Amino acid sequence: MVSDPIIKTNCYHCGEQCEEIIVANDRNFCCEGCKQVYLLLNENNLCSYYNFDKNPGIKAKGKFVAEKFAYLDDESVTRKLVQFSNDTQTNAVFSLPKMHCSSCIFLLENLHRINEGIIKSQANFQRKEVFIIFNHNEISLRKVVELLAFIGYEPYISLNDTKTKKEIRFNKKRIYKIGVAGFCFSNIMMLSFPEYFSSGNIEQHGLKETFTWLNFGLSLPVLFFSASGFFISAWKGLQQKFLNIDAPIALAILVTYGRSYYEIISGTGAGYLDSGTGIVFFMLIGRWFQDKTYDSFSFDRDYLSYFPLGVTVIKEQQEKNIPVTQIKKGDHIIIRHEEMIPADAVLLKGEANVDYSFVSGENTPLQKRKGELIYAGGKQIGGMIELEVVNETSQSYITQLWNNDIFSDKKNADKSFVHPWSRYFTLALFTVAISTAVYWWVSEPAKILPAVTAVLIVACPCSLLLAATFTHGNMLRIFGKNKLYLKNASVIEAMAAVNTLVFDKTGTLTQNNIASVIYEGTQLMPGELKAIKAVARQSSHPLSKAIAASINDIGIQHTVITAFKEYSGKGIEALVDGIPVKLGNTDFIRSAGISQPFAVTGVHVHVALNNIYLGVFKIGNQYREGLDQMSAGLSNAKYEQHILSGDNDTERNNLEKIFVGNVKMNFEKQPQQKLEYIQQLQLQHRQVMILGDGLNDAGALKQSTVGIAVSENHTQFTPASDAILDGSNVHLIGKFLEYARSGKKIITAIFSVSILYNIVGLSFATQALLSPMVAAILMPASSISIVILAAVLSSASANMKGL
């Protein structure tokens, strides 16, 4: 489309184009909200905020709906939201999905300069949260939230926040264990240097004994505190008659420490406490490294995470904001633009234009008339509506949808394929140890203890465990770097087994809030484009927004618009500088006595100016880039591909152009049908991965071998899943699967090297040619080598896959 050659003006605060310029202190702003936030920052000497980035702010509301946060005055609600409170201060944590850069952190951590009632505020950029300490005698929780909303960082407060206290993910005990093991290991190594360099012959009397007993004392915290997790895990496995990988590790630790303590107490040697404490330290570091990658994301969510905490009700002819949990059948509630409907209700007043894409996947808003039932989970697009509740939140359709049995099942628990064969490894180890003892009992009993001890030490599977731990940990880091955040390392192994992919359409293959708009008809002149955009931007309907966004800025701020009218489900009209403009469906245009020759299918909007038909805007989905190459790669790799959508089949032709091979396409599928579709594939012995977003995909995500929730922002709320993928990288899914498969090959190769090392070591140990001291030195040396090899191979594989 052609636009007038005019100079575009951007907002000083948020950087968006100013369709209507508002000036303050010689700076241009796009709206009153951005101007008010700037003035607030300027008044409190915080304008250095703008030095962090060019136009760092987000489009601020400046004002918000009156009484929107009134439910925060309810003491029962605030008590569940705050973390701590005493006579003078209250602590609370808020989720801020709009936090996006260093300037946000600066502003959020200087809230105390805006309001003296705020004592301290600290931003956590990784988790998109802000921790605020405030004096509740000077400022209430509601006022804190209103301040955040005013400056553009409205907190996301859901019904789930009042269900339970947020789990503190930071495991202090694990850090303490690593710290204790690291401190004791380093000091034991330092105290062992004299013996290393003197070959055990320290001339100064009493020095060797002093160092040895100091090592003895330093080893005790490692054995009884840092290594306790291995013993607990091994014992729990034995109670369940399962030999997990921690069983031989715990045994090796016991043998190493037991033999060391025997030598120290009997005065026959200095033991191997340096190696024993070292291997505990390295294994704790490995497990922490693996877990660290995904501890900032929440993968297990229910429908409560999506519901707003408060809702406006009408009682005694007055509007009052109450918690959603207090809604009763028969209550009259008010829902405004872009607010979610929290309970099944009947429309009483207003024009309902409900977006059900979150529940059904259908991205075309539905028109509802007075008296019609509107299910919970829909979002109102347009003006205010009044509803009468017929089912409370706990009994609504969306709740029943989530209460499927599949959500009570656990899959992809944090287990590794190391565990299934660990029982065989342990049995083989015991067999070798017993055979060695029997052999030397017959020939030379004095060598039983050194030989058996060396066998148990050299065969410790710590190097095998570290191979899996560090390979998976590094792979999790590389996946995260490419914006795929896995729930745990077991998901990598599940991905390696996948042979069938199922894609949702809306929000997964298509981009949210971006539409493809194509105009067909008489060529539009700049003045006509200006008039169409001026009218379209007056409406909140998604189609009108798409049309307005598709037309370049052409200086409409000086346009005079009068007699604007919107007809629900039909179209809009107005006078632009005295010229009538109409936008709408076929019936709307014809009802005005305007004939139009274009017969079109799919989503479309006709346009007429000055009672003359001009053409039609065809509005389709904007597909993500790189999908055709992705599909071709998956087809070449022999993956079976399916499309499973709750939307209609109007996009079938476009999808057939994008996807290669025999791709099975299914449309108008309800959430339960999606779940059953995945089950049918699994009955055919298919290992299924599904990519989807929204509640309509939640059951299928849970049922599948691997469920990946696609999100435009990974900090926003997504369905329960095994992984969260940024929407911009959906086209990389083929490379992710290849990399997961390579990870299994890498670990298998490293395992082979480790087993070869064990075989060689055991052959020497069983013949009493390898002393326990040498075995104890080789154990950490081999583990460190394995860690380096795992990191190098996993990184090299990622580079080969283009990640």
Side-chain angles (χ1 to χ4, degrees):
M1 294 184 178
V2 182
S3 61
D4 291 337
I6 64 171
I7 299 175
K8 300 178 181 179
T9 302
N10 293 335
C11 176
Y12 179 75
H13 177 74
C14 70
E16 293 188 12
Q17 290 184 22
C18 298
E19 295 182 349
E20 198 174 327
I21 300 176
I22 299 173
V23 180
N25 292 351
D26 297 326
R27 308 199 193 296
N28 297 324
F29 301 93
C30 65
C31 62
E32 280 293 331
C34 288
K35 185 189 82 170
Q36 291 298 329
V37 173
Y38 163 77
L39 294 175
L40 178 66
L41 298 179
N42 186 52
E43 180 183 347
N44 291 277
N45 298 317
L46 289 175
C47 281
S48 53
Y49 164 77
Y50 297 101
N51 297 332
F52 285 84
D53 194 8
K54 183 179 180 181
N55 308 118
I58 54 181
K59 195 174 183 69
K61 291 188 176 181
K63 296 180 181 179
F64 39 82
V65 178
E67 303 300 315
K68 180 175 182 179
F69 302 107
Y71 62 87
L72 294 176
D73 289 333
D74 189 320
E75 186 177 347
S76 64
V77 173
T78 58
R79 189 165 53 248
K80 295 176 181 178
L81 290 176
V82 302
Q83 290 187 332
F84 168 81
S85 184
N86 59 19
D87 294 338
T88 59
Q89 74 176 50
T90 296
N91 301 355
V93 176
F94 300 103
S95 174
L96 306 181
K98 293 184 179 180
M99 190 191 308
H100 70 286
C101 65
S102 56
S103 57
C104 300
I105 298 174
F106 170 79
L107 178 56
L108 292 168
E109 293 190 344
N110 280 278
L111 294 176
H112 61 280
R113 295 172 61 181
I114 298 177
N115 191 302
E116 294 180 355
I118 297 177
I119 301 171
K120 178 185 178 182
S121 54
Q122 183 175 347
N124 185 327
F125 184 77
Q126 185 180 20
R127 298 178 64 174
K128 298 292 190 292
E129 291 179 347
V130 62
F131 171 68
I132 297 179
I133 302 175
F134 61 95
N135 186 337
H136 52 251
N137 296 317
E138 298 183 16
I139 183 173
S140 66
L141 181 69
R142 174 184 173 181
K143 293 298 181 183
V144 171
V145 172
E146 288 179 348
L147 174 61
L148 290 170
F150 181 85
I151 62 176
Y153 299 92
E154 181 175 330
Y156 187 96
I157 304 175
S158 71
L159 185 58
N160 195 49
D161 293 326
T162 62
K163 184 180 178 182
T164 56
K165 292 290 184 180
K166 290 186 178 180
E167 177 186 357
I168 299 175
R169 294 182 175 271
F170 184 71
N171 192 335
K172 292 183 179 180
K173 190 174 182 179
R174 171 178 287 189
I175 299 300
Y176 293 153
K177 285 183 176 182
I178 295 174
V180 169
F183 173 81
C184 296
F185 166 60
S186 59
N187 281 280
I188 288 175
M189 288 290 292
M190 292 289 292
L191 293 171
S192 299
F193 280 162
E195 179 153 348
Y196 297 157
F197 298 136
S198 64
S199 300
N201 299 315
I202 301 177
E203 296 181 359
Q204 187 170 350
H205 178 70
L207 190 59
K208 177 180 178 179
E209 290 75 12
T210 301
F211 287 165
T212 300
W213 282 102
L214 282 173
N215 287 344
F216 183 96
L218 286 168
S219 70
L220 293 175
V222 179
L223 176 63
F224 292 105
F225 177 63
S226 298
S228 61
F230 299 106
F231 296 113
I232 294 171
S233 175
W235 175 245
K236 288 181 178 179
L238 291 173
Q239 286 180 316
Q240 298 174 6
K241 298 180 181 181
F242 174 72
L243 289 173
N244 57 33
I245 195 65
D246 286 334
I249 291 175
L251 178 62
I253 294 173
L254 278 177
V255 170
T256 305
Y257 278 78
R259 180 63 189 266
S260 300
Y261 291 159
Y262 168 77
E263 291 188 2
I264 293 172
I265 294 172
S266 64
T268 57
Y272 327 108
L273 297 176
D274 48 353
S275 298
T277 54
I279 200 59
V280 171
F281 175 64
F282 287 130
M283 285 191 291
L284 289 174
I285 285 288
R287 291 187 171 180
W288 173 84
F289 173 72
Q290 176 177 287
D291 295 341
K292 183 63 179 174
T293 306
Y294 49 78
D295 66 355
S296 293
F297 304 103
S298 175
F299 295 87
D300 298 314
R301 299 178 173 129
D302 61 20
Y303 70 96
L304 296 177
S305 299
Y306 298 88
F307 269 41
L309 185 55
V311 65
T312 303
V313 300
I314 300 177
K315 290 188 176 181
E316 299 177 355
Q317 305 301 318
Q318 293 185 344
E319 293 185 14
K320 183 180 180 181
N321 207 288
I322 64 171
V324 168
T325 52
Q326 296 181 11
I327 293 178
K328 303 296 182 183
K329 182 177 180 180
D331 283 349
H332 289 199
I333 60 176
I334 297 294
I335 303 297
R336 297 180 172 86
H337 178 56
E338 292 193 345
E339 288 186 350
M340 180 176 284
I341 299 164
D344 299 343
V346 172
L347 179 62
L348 298 179
K349 295 180 182 178
E351 296 177 348
N353 190 37
V354 186
D355 177 6
Y356 274 118
S357 59
F358 170 70
V359 176
S360 66
E362 172 65 59
N363 62 352
T364 303
L366 299 178
Q367 307 292 330
K368 293 290 184 178
R369 299 180 180 179
K370 182 178 179 181
E372 287 191 277
L373 177 65
I374 302 178
Y375 290 108
K379 181 184 290 186
Q380 165 66 358
I381 305 297
M384 182 182 73
I385 58 176
E386 181 179 336
L387 306 168
E388 181 179 348
V389 176
V390 295
N391 287 318
E392 299 174 13
T393 302
S394 59
Q395 299 174 346
S396 65
Y397 166 75
I398 197 172
T399 310
Q400 297 171 17
L401 177 63
W402 199 275
N403 288 339
N404 192 297
D405 292 340
I406 188 64
F407 290 99
S408 61
D409 296 335
K410 297 291 183 182
K411 68 184 179 80
N412 289 335
D414 194 7
K415 294 179 181 178
S416 171
F417 75 88
V418 179
H419 290 286
W421 65 266
S422 62
R423 69 178 70 184
Y424 305 111
F425 178 90
T426 306
L427 291 173
L429 173 60
F430 286 152
T431 301
V432 172
I434 293 171
S435 301
T436 302
V438 171
Y439 174 81
W440 288 111
W441 176 269
V442 175
S443 58
E444 194 173 344
K447 291 186 177 181
I448 293 177
L449 184 60
V452 172
T453 304
V455 165
L456 294 175
I457 293 175
V458 77
C460 173
C462 54
S463 58
L464 306 183
L465 180 63
L466 286 175
T469 300
F470 274 87
T471 300
H472 282 155
N474 198 43
M475 291 181 73
L476 286 169
R477 181 187 65 81
I478 293 170
F479 278 125
K481 182 180 177 181
N482 288 276
K483 300 182 181 180
L484 174 62
Y485 308 95
L486 305 186
K487 184 175 184 178
N488 52 49
S490 296
V491 180
I492 299 176
E493 297 171 20
M495 288 175 63
V498 165
N499 53 29
T500 303
L501 284 95
V502 177
F503 298 94
D504 172 50
K505 182 178 73 69
T506 307
T508 301
L509 300 177
T510 63
Q511 299 186 54
N512 288 326
N513 303 320
I514 300 178
S516 171
V517 181
I518 300 175
Y519 173 75
E520 293 183 359
T522 305
Q523 183 176 0
L524 298 174
M525 296 296 103
E528 293 171 331
L529 287 171
K530 181 167 68 173
I532 293 170
K533 178 164 185 172
V535 175
R537 68 188 295 266
Q538 301 298 314
S539 171
S540 60
H541 194 282
L543 300 184
S544 298
K545 288 183 176 181
I547 293 172
S550 69
I551 302 175
N552 294 331
D553 180 42
I554 47 180
I556 64 173
Q557 59 267 26
H558 302 300
T559 302
V560 179
I561 301 172
T562 57
F564 175 82
K565 293 182 180 180
E566 184 165 5
Y567 304 90
S568 179
K570 298 179 180 179
I572 56 177
E573 65 178 1
L575 296 177
V576 180
D577 295 330
I579 299 174
V581 178
K582 290 182 172 61
L583 298 171
N585 60 25
T586 301
D587 292 337
F588 179 70
I589 296 296
R590 287 177 175 172
S591 64
I594 303 170
S595 61
Q596 51 89 12
F598 287 87
V600 293
T601 59
V603 181
H604 61 277
V605 176
H606 295 283
V607 56
L609 268 75
N610 204 17
N611 296 321
I612 299 175
Y613 181 79
L614 297 179
V616 61
F617 288 95
K618 293 183 177 180
I619 299 160
N621 292 295
Q622 181 68 46
Y623 289 94
R624 301 188 188 277
E625 296 182 1
L627 293 181
D628 49 351
Q629 295 93 331
M630 175 203 73
S631 180
L634 292 172
S635 180
N636 292 335
K638 308 302 181 184
Y639 286 100
E640 189 175 295
Q641 302 174 62
H642 299 251
I643 293 176
L644 194 61
S645 176
D647 208 343
N648 55 49
D649 64 350
T650 55
E651 290 291 317
R652 180 184 290 273
N653 292 336
N654 290 330
L655 288 168
E656 288 176 346
K657 294 176 183 177
I658 294 173
F659 280 82
V660 177
N662 185 22
V663 179
K664 299 177 182 178
M665 299 187 184
N666 299 270
F667 299 93
E668 299 182 1
K669 293 292 185 182
Q670 295 300 314
Q672 183 63 30
Q673 293 175 315
K674 289 189 175 186
L675 190 155
E676 292 170 354
Y677 189 89
I678 300 297
Q679 289 175 330
Q680 289 299 317
L681 289 175
Q682 291 173 330
L683 289 175
Q684 300 170 23
H685 306 290
R686 310 298 299 177
Q687 298 296 321
V688 184
M689 171 189 283
I690 180 172
L691 287 80
D693 73 323
L695 184 59
N696 60 307
D697 302 310
L701 287 168
K702 197 72 174 179
Q703 176 66 40
S704 61
T705 306
V706 179
I708 298 182
V710 177
S711 175
E712 297 297 333
N713 185 335
H714 65 258
T715 62
Q716 293 177 347
F717 292 93
T718 53
S721 59
D722 299 300
I724 299 174
L725 174 62
D726 189 283
S728 61
N729 280 359
V730 168
H731 66 285
L732 295 178
I733 197 65
K735 293 183 178 180
F736 291 143
L737 290 171
E738 288 182 32
Y739 187 45
R741 288 188 171 183
S742 70
K744 193 166 186 176
K745 295 177 182 178
I746 291 170
I747 295 175
T748 302
I750 295 176
F751 275 15
S752 301
V753 173
S754 301
I755 291 173
L756 180 62
Y757 153 79
N758 280 341
I759 293 173
V760 173
L762 286 172
S763 65
F764 283 98
T766 54
Q767 300 175 55
L769 298 176
L770 183 67
S771 69
M773 176 178 288
V774 176
I777 293 173
L778 289 176
M779 183 169 61
S782 65
S783 299
I784 294 172
S785 301
I786 288 296
V787 168
I788 296 173
L789 183 61
V792 170
L793 289 180
S794 57
S795 297
S797 178
N799 291 331
M800 291 177 62
K801 306 301 180 188
L803 296 176

